[in-house]
Amino acid sequence: MTLDDLRNFVAACRHGNLSTVARELSCTQSAVSQHIRRLEREVGLDLLERLPRGVAPTEAGRILYTAAAEGLSGLDLALRRLHDLRDGHGGAVRIATGATTVRHFMTDAIVEFRRRYPHTSLEFQTENSSRTCLAAVSAGHADLAWVTIGDPVRGIQQRPVAALRWMLAVRRDDPLAERDRLDLGDLAGIHHIRLPETSTSRARLDAHLAAHDIRPPATTGVADWDTAKLLAELGLGHAVVPDVPDPARPPDGPLRLIPISGLPPLTVGWAARQWRALAPAAREFADFVESSA
């Protein structure tokens, strides 16, 4: 029993005429009859009664028609939606990200994606750490996640996209602002604006500083990298932050970002359960982001 057998049988019950079925399914009347006879041989019962001017379902045929018609309707709808998803004519790409990821890494990609896939929506789910982004992907709540690349995670594939240098954000009137580069030792004793407590970036930074016996006093904690830079601009402390793309920041503004030697870069990128299983639109959005990062 094949789907084509059932489609021909259901159409025959609906139209009551095999030639009409042949025209609808773009095949010959003989092919329609073969599909139906194959079903009858498999179930061991006559499914259609041959009438002088057409066909009608038998009692057995009515039982099969009731079940098959409902199942084929749902299946055909699902196949149409799958074709739309494949061709970018519908569906959604679900992305788990941190609070500032979209602005810093995805603006150009969103514009290009909307041009290429006008009927596919982008749904952004804000998370407070790479750990919760990965959990959203693992649970099937997101197709993609933008994360700090770390140790392997069972059931998740990670794809590095960019390596971000660590920078010290200071006001231009701060004595450190005159420096072109800083060493780890320069971070000792400065007032330190802490990165988000649950973030992977803060855990990595704290671990690197502790390894060099550097524990700068903290003045306050923030929810994201942008807030850390804002507080540094207001003179409330110094912020060690990754050097994320920020076209909106004027080069001669009140804030300077100074590279720090001795800190390994923070690698960021994509995570998904299986790249090959992603819908084409999701893979292409990930590529758009990577090409503009």
Side-chain angles (χ1 to χ4, degrees):
M1 183 183 300
T2 68
L3 289 176
D4 283 340
D5 293 341
L6 291 172
R7 285 195 176 97
N8 279 267
F9 168 70
V10 167
C13 292
R14 187 169 61 247
H15 294 297
N17 186 287
L18 298 188
S19 61
T20 301
V21 174
R23 287 194 300 271
E24 179 182 290
L25 300 181
S26 301
C27 61
T28 65
Q29 184 171 332
S30 173
V32 175
S33 297
Q34 289 176 15
H35 283 294
I36 294 170
R37 283 197 295 270
R38 184 158 54 213
L39 276 178
E40 290 178 325
R41 286 197 300 272
E42 183 160 343
V43 301
L45 294 167
D46 289 340
L47 299 174
L48 293 179
E49 180 183 359
R50 278 65 178 177
L51 303 175
R53 307 186 69 175
V55 295
T58 63
E59 181 179 359
R62 287 193 296 271
I63 294 173
L64 182 59
Y65 172 77
T66 300
E70 182 178 349
L72 285 175
S73 176
L75 180 60
D76 287 340
L77 175 60
L79 290 174
R80 286 196 298 273
R81 292 181 63 186
L82 290 175
H83 292 156
D84 287 344
L85 189 62
R86 179 196 64 196
D87 299 333
H89 298 313
V93 178
R94 304 167 302 161
I95 304 153
T97 73
T100 61
T101 297
V102 174
R103 184 169 76 86
H104 289 300
F105 294 99
M106 302 184 184
T107 304
D108 292 341
I110 290 171
V111 173
E112 177 63 19
F113 184 87
R114 296 304 303 152
R115 185 187 69 80
R116 190 80 60 90
Y117 295 99
H119 304 295
T120 302
S121 64
L122 291 171
E123 298 178 0
F124 294 98
Q125 175 180 329
T126 301
E127 299 289 348
N128 59 10
S129 69
S130 292
R131 179 180 54 80
T132 55
C133 285
L134 290 169
V137 170
S138 181
H141 300 151
D143 305 304
L144 291 163
W146 184 263
V147 298
T148 299
I149 301 297
D151 295 331
V153 179
R154 183 184 296 274
I156 298 289
Q157 296 178 345
Q158 300 183 63
R159 186 164 118 187
V161 173
L164 308 177
R165 298 179 301 169
W166 287 99
M167 315 287 280
L168 184 69
V170 299
R171 284 173 57 92
R172 285 192 178 273
D173 58 3
D174 188 285
L176 290 175
E178 300 176 2
R179 305 274 296 274
D180 292 328
R181 182 171 295 275
L182 298 171
D183 297 321
L184 281 175
D186 295 316
L187 303 181
I190 65 173
H191 294 292
H192 186 57
I193 299 170
R194 303 293 298 277
L195 296 179
E197 184 175 1
T198 59
S199 68
T200 304
S201 55
R202 171 167 164 175
R204 296 278 180 83
L205 177 61
D206 287 351
H208 291 316
L209 294 180
H212 290 82
D213 201 27
I214 298 173
R215 294 176 175 80
T219 57
T220 187
V222 295
D224 54 64
W225 300 339
D226 283 353
T227 305
K229 288 189 287 187
L230 175 61
L231 295 185
E233 183 178 323
L234 295 174
L236 299 181
H238 303 77
V240 180
V241 293
D243 188 17
V244 297
D246 192 358
R249 185 171 63 87
D252 56 350
L255 190 70
R256 277 212 67 200
L257 295 178
I258 308 171
I260 303 170
S261 300
L263 285 176
L266 190 73
T267 303
V268 296
W270 288 115
R273 282 188 290 185
Q274 289 187 354
W275 289 103
R276 293 179 58 186
L278 287 172
R283 290 198 301 270
E284 193 149 359
F285 180 74
D287 290 341
F288 289 157
V289 173
E290 184 168 352
S291 65
S292 61

